[in-house]
Structure formats: C-alpha cells, structure tokens
C-alpha cells in the first residue's frame, strides 16, 4: 500500500513541473496529501515534533495579530501548508510515516537523477522543447528548477559513489556526478552551482575527517576526471558566465532579488516579533505578486523572518541547522547522515535567493520539507 501511495504522489508532484503541461487539479494535489495524513492518523502511533508544532502555532499567531490583505489568501496558504507538511515534515512521526517518508525520498531521488540525465541528453541532441523563456530548462518547466534538481542529483550521486563497493558502480556514479554538475552549469543557475560546491566540501570534510589516507586515493581520481573533462567545463560554463556578465553590466547581478530583500527587511522592521502575517507582504515596492497568486519574496530566509518574525526564523533555523550541527560533530558518518548534511546545507544556501519555503505547491517546497522530515532520523 505504501508503495502505491508513494508512486501516485511522486507522479502528481513531478507532473506539475515538467515541460509538457499536465495540469492536475489543485484540489487533487492537496487532497492526496490530506489522504496520506488521514491514513497516518488511522494507523496510530503518532508522535508530534514540538519544534514544528511551535512553528505552525506561530504562523497562526502571525495571522491573528495582523490584518493581512485578502489578496494573499493567507489563511488558505496556511491550511495548504499544514496539509502538505503534515505527512512529509518532522511534524508527525510514526512507523507508517517512517516507511512512507523514506520510500518517497528514495523514489524522488531516483526520478530527479533520471530527469537530470534525460535533460543532459536532450541538450546534446538540441531538443527544442527543452529550451524555454528562462533558458535551457530540460525536462522541467524552468531553468532554475533544473538547476536546483541538478544540485540535488549531484549530492545523491556523490553519496552513492562514496558508499558503493563495486568499482563499476563507482565509475557510474562519477559519470553521473559529472553530468549533474554540467547540467547545473547549462541551466545557468548561479545560486545552485555555488551552493552545491560548498555542500560538497562539507560532505568531503565529514566523510574523510577520520580517513586521512582514503582522501588521497579519491582526490587523485577526482583530479584526473576534472583534468580530462576541462574542455567540457569551459564549454558548458558559457551560459552561467554570460548570464552573470549580462546581469552585472545591467546593474542587476542578483536578478532583482537584492531589492526584494529591502521589502522583506522593511516588513521585518514593521513587526520584528511576529512578522506581517504568514506568507504575505506589507511592503511590495520591489517584490512580485502575480495574478495567479504566485509570491516572489526574493529569499526564503527573509520571507520567514518578515512574515513570522524573529521567533519564526529561530524555529525554522533549528529544524535546518540542528541536524547539520549533529552530523558535523558526531563520529557516525553513514549514508543517511551524509545525505542529510549535503542536502540541508545545499538547501540552506539555495534558499538565500529563492523563496519557496512557504509555497506548498512548489516542487522545491515538497522536497525541502521531506528532507527536513527525514533529518529527524540521523544517528
């Protein structure tokens, strides 16, 4: 039963983000998450995570104490947020949800790697439908999402490389790491590329901190691969370099996010303790709010700070950085620990310029909160 549930929810989540328009009704999307929540309650053995409970409670407080504009539909956003995170975040835990979360993350990780590889093949074959208004978007509907997925794929493949026993498997994952990094460059996502490089260094530090001799062996392999593939790096880095130069010359190096940050800081100054209201804005001089209800705050961190105040930011930071701190300071560095370290540090950096943390309909939102959910099980 869990396998079927996981398969259906994966199809629904990914179908909303591929380049071909397959539009599942919104009510179906949220209804399925609600269905999983109900099943988990019926299965019993539920334990509630207090940090997540306080986070949701504070989101409610931020709405009660503010007069939020109806155009944000803040109450609906909070309800949809709770519906989605109830079964994937650390909020609820049970034996059923344990199996569900790990089966879901394993299937999503597999699909992400396939999406990145197929996108790379499509680039080599010059498939026209893989390029849209945002640039090369591959199999998904936006280049920034492809950049995000390629970073995730790099972490997945790097963990598998480190823990593979067979030489043929190690070679396979090395090639997949190379493809993932190249796709990140092709997508021209500067944030994703910088984030993945920093995350890889953290993972290398943790994995090899008690294996001084082993690092030289693997470092030798990586240096050879980087040297051999230098022409590829030069060729595929053109997109990201051209984008950076164009934005810098236009005085818009951060694609307008830096001026959106001014709005978020102004919101925070208006209400530093409990924010201006969950998933809403007070100052919108530079921020974007589309007719279809899409909010572009410019940064997930600043969005939490501005909408839920310093209390909301502290609670969210605990959920992100507590597992990272634990992995960095524990003697255990198994595959799960290393994956959690890599993915949470990657997302923490990536969220600096991307504002999906409260957007329950976004793929990045689902994957982020699912990873926070499984981080509860690091040992």
């Amino acid at each position: 039963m869990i396998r079927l549930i996981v398969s259906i929810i994966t199809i629904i989540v990914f179908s909303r983000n591929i380049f071909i328009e397959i539009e599942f009704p919104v009510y179906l999307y949220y209804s399925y998450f609600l269905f999983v929540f109900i099943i988990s309650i019926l299965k019993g053995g539920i334990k509630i995570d207090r940090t997540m409970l306080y986070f949701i409670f504070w989101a409610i407080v931020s709405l009660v104490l503010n007069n939020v504009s109806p155009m944000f539909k803040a109450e609906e956003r909070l309800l949809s947020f709770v519906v989605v995170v109830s079964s994937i975040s650390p909020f609820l835990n049970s034996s059923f949800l344990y199996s569900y979360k790990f089966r879901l993350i394993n299937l999503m990780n597999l699909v992400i790697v396939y999406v990145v590889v197929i996108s790379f093949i499509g680039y080599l074959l010059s498939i026209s439908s893989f390029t849209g208004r945002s640039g090369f978007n591959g199999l998904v509907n936006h280049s920034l999402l492809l950049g995000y997925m390629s970073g995730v794929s790099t972490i997945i493949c790097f963990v598998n490389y480190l823990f593979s026993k067979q030489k043929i498997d190690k070679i396979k994952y090395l090639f997949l790491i190379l493809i993932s990094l190249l796709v990140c460059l092709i997508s021209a996502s500067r944030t994703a590329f910088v984030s993945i490089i920093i995350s890889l260094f953290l993972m290398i530090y943790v994995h090899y901190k008690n294996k001084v001799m082993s690092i030289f062996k693997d470092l030798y392999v990586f240096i050879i691969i980087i040297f051999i593939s230098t022409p590829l790096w030069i060729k595929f880095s053109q997109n990201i370099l051209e984008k950076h130069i164009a934005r810098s010359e236009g005085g818009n190096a951060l694609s307008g996010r830096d001026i959106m940050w001014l709005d978020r800081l102004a919101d925070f100054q208006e209400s530093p303790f409990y924010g201006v209201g969950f998933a809403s804005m007070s100052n919108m001089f530079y921020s974007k709010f589309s007719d279809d209800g899409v909010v572009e705050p410019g940064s997930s961190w600043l969005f939490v700070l501005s909408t839920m105040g310093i209390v909301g930011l502290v609670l969210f930071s605990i959920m992100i950085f507590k597992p990272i701190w634990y992995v960095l300071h524990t003697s255990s560095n198994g595959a799960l620990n290393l994956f959690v370290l890599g993915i949470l540090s990657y997302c923490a950096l990536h969220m600096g310029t991307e504002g999906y943390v409260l957007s329950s309909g976004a793929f990045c939102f689902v994957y982020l909160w699912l990873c926070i959910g499984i981080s509860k099980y690091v040992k």
Side-chain angles (χ1 to χ4, degrees):
M1 180 182 178
I2 293 180
R3 184 176 298 178
L4 178 61
I5 293 173
V6 164
S7 299
I8 294 174
I9 209 159
T10 301
I11 292 171
I12 292 174
V13 170
F14 275 92
S15 67
R16 292 164 56 89
N17 295 278
I18 62 175
F19 73 98
I20 302 172
E21 293 292 336
I22 301 178
E23 194 63 43
F24 274 90
V26 174
Y27 73 85
L28 180 61
Y29 175 81
Y30 290 108
S31 294
Y32 206 76
F33 280 103
L34 181 60
F35 169 74
V36 177
F37 167 71
I38 294 171
I39 291 293
S40 65
I41 296 297
L42 294 176
K43 290 283 185 179
I46 294 289
K47 293 181 180 179
I48 298 177
D49 179 77
R50 285 181 294 180
T51 306
M52 190 68 198
L53 177 63
Y54 298 153
F55 184 80
I56 294 172
F57 170 75
W58 202 249
I60 296 171
V61 169
S62 73
L63 292 182
V64 171
L65 298 180
N66 282 287
N67 185 21
V68 179
S69 171
M71 72 176 182
F72 290 108
K73 299 180 179 178
E75 292 80 6
E76 293 181 23
R77 290 178 185 273
L78 177 57
L79 179 60
S80 61
F81 173 86
V82 174
V83 165
V84 176
V85 300
S86 61
S87 61
I88 60 175
S89 77
F91 183 36
L92 302 179
N93 295 283
S94 66
S95 58
F96 168 79
L97 286 173
Y98 174 88
S99 300
Y100 167 74
K101 290 174 187 177
F102 275 95
R103 283 179 182 266
L104 183 58
I105 195 69
N106 287 335
L107 183 56
M108 280 195 166
N109 284 350
L110 180 63
V111 174
I112 286 171
V113 174
Y114 272 110
V115 166
V116 171
V117 171
I118 293 172
S119 296
F120 182 71
I121 294 171
Y123 180 82
L124 297 179
L125 297 176
S126 300
I127 297 177
S128 59
S129 57
F130 278 19
T131 301
R133 288 182 299 175
S134 63
F136 181 75
N137 52 257
L139 201 58
V140 295
N141 56 14
H142 201 285
S143 60
L144 292 179
L145 178 56
L146 180 63
Y148 175 83
M149 285 189 176
S150 62
V152 172
S153 177
T154 303
I155 292 171
I156 296 166
C157 296
F158 186 62
V159 172
N160 278 282
Y161 165 79
L162 292 176
F163 289 93
S164 292
K165 302 298 182 183
Q166 301 296 323
K167 184 174 291 185
I168 187 66
D169 289 331
K170 283 189 172 291
I171 294 172
K172 176 183 71 175
Y173 286 116
L174 276 174
F175 274 107
L176 289 174
I177 292 169
L178 178 61
I179 289 172
S180 299
L181 288 171
L182 291 176
V183 170
C184 193
L185 288 174
I186 296 167
S187 72
S189 177
R190 295 166 293 172
T191 302
F193 189 74
V194 172
S195 300
I196 193 57
I197 296 301
I198 295 174
S199 299
L200 286 175
F201 275 113
L202 270 177
M203 295 168 73
I204 289 169
Y205 163 73
V206 168
H207 184 73
Y208 291 105
K209 63 182 178 182
N210 296 319
K211 305 174 184 178
V212 179
M213 296 307 297
S214 298
I215 192 172
F216 291 107
K217 178 182 176 182
D218 285 336
L219 190 60
Y220 175 73
V221 174
F222 285 125
I223 291 173
I224 290 177
I225 290 176
I226 292 172
F227 179 76
I228 294 174
S229 60
T230 297
L232 292 175
W233 296 110
I234 295 173
K235 177 182 177 181
F236 290 113
S237 64
Q238 290 303 309
N239 283 6
I240 202 166
L241 289 174
E242 289 173 3
K243 180 178 179 179
H244 182 71
I245 292 170
R247 296 287 167 82
S248 296
E249 290 178 349
N252 192 20
L254 292 173
S255 304
R257 294 180 180 89
D258 50 342
I259 56 176
M260 291 183 198
W261 298 344
L262 297 177
D263 282 343
R264 303 290 72 73
L265 292 173
D267 284 351
F268 170 67
Q269 288 172 350
E270 281 188 15
S271 182
F273 190 58
Y274 52 81
V276 297
F278 179 84
S280 60
M281 301 175 183
S282 177
N283 294 274
M284 297 179 62
F285 297 107
Y286 310 109
S287 303
K288 298 177 183 178
F289 181 76
S290 62
D291 294 335
D292 57 356
V294 176
V295 179
E296 292 189 41
S299 168
S300 288
W301 290 106
L302 290 179
F303 200 37
V304 173
L305 177 65
S306 65
T307 64
M308 296 176 61
I310 192 68
V311 175
L313 182 65
V314 168
L315 291 170
F316 181 66
S317 298
I318 289 172
M319 290 186 279
I320 293 288
F321 292 113
K322 185 178 179 181
I324 292 176
W325 177 265
Y326 177 81
V327 175
L328 285 173
H329 292 85
T330 185
S331 57
S332 174
N333 58 357
L336 175 60
N337 284 19
L338 203 62
F339 173 75
V340 166
L341 171 68
I343 205 67
L344 290 189
S345 59
Y346 172 71
C347 288
L349 293 164
H350 192 261
M351 286 190 293
T353 59
E354 299 296 338
Y356 48 80
V357 65
L358 304 179
S359 303
S360 59
F363 171 83
C364 296
F365 170 93
V366 173
Y367 193 79
L368 166 69
W369 284 100
L370 178 58
C371 290
I372 296 174
I374 67 166
S375 71
K376 289 285 294 182
Y377 303 105
V378 295
K379 298 179 180 180

